[in-house]
Amino acid sequence: QVQLVESGGGLVQPGGSLRLSCTASKFTLDILDDYAFGWFRQAPGKEREEVSCISTKDGRTTYADSVKGRFTISRDTAENTVYLQMNDLKPEDTGIYYCAAESIVFVTAQELCRNQGPSARGRWGQGTQVTVSS
């Protein structure tokens, strides 16, 4: 099992940028790069939705239509970290951003996003707040 810690959230003006980080630690010697990672967000009063997912094994990515062209997901396997670079932020991007991961034995990156997160065999981070406001 992995433990996930997010960081990088904050308050930014519309049009600004933030980079979120999700650092994974593990208690076993499982190969960390055989995981699907994803970023999800939940705005006040709304259900959690997928933002972007990536397979750390082959780098394949998927994005929600609302963030295509503005957000970029990437991974650094040496640092056990997945990033979400968010540019041209809009007020509707405001919410709590959660990182999630699940072994690719059970799910692809596309499935992780399509399923709105991992199964009980995966993990969630604690979330980081992103607020876009002038």
Side-chain angles (χ1 to χ4, degrees):
Q1 282 283 23
V2 295
Q3 299 292 322
L4 306 175
V5 178
E6 302 101 327
S7 61
L11 172 64
V12 65
Q13 292 186 343
S17 298
L18 284 173
R19 188 177 78 159
L20 305 183
S21 300
C22 173
T23 300
S25 60
K26 49 187 170 66
F27 298 107
T28 72
L29 295 179
D30 291 340
I31 299 174
L32 187 64
D33 62 357
D34 288 346
Y35 278 78
F37 279 79
W39 287 98
F40 302 82
R41 68 187 181 188
Q42 187 167 21
K46 295 186 177 181
E47 294 186 354
R48 186 159 50 195
E49 62 178 0
E50 78 278 13
V51 175
S52 182
C53 294
I54 187 170
S55 170
T56 55
K57 186 173 182 65
D58 58 20
R60 291 186 179 182
T61 60
T62 184
Y63 294 92
D65 288 342
S66 59
V67 305
K68 283 181 180 178
R70 301 189 297 123
F71 291 11
T72 302
I73 191 170
S74 61
R75 89 279 196 206
D76 184 335
T77 53
E79 296 294 327
N80 294 337
T81 299
V82 172
Y83 301 99
L84 184 68
Q85 178 67 43
M86 306 186 295
N87 298 327
D88 189 24
L89 282 160
K90 303 176 181 181
E92 52 264 40
D93 295 317
T94 294
I96 300 174
Y97 282 67
Y98 298 91
C99 178
E102 186 165 3
S103 171
I104 62 171
V105 170
F106 306 114
V107 67
T108 65
Q110 289 75 17
E111 291 168 341
L112 182 66
C113 265
R114 187 168 64 239
N115 295 341
Q116 302 293 316
S119 71
R121 292 170 295 213
R123 299 288 295 208
W124 287 99
Q126 83 287 354
T128 185
Q129 177 70 45
V130 171
T131 302
V132 185
S133 175
S134 55

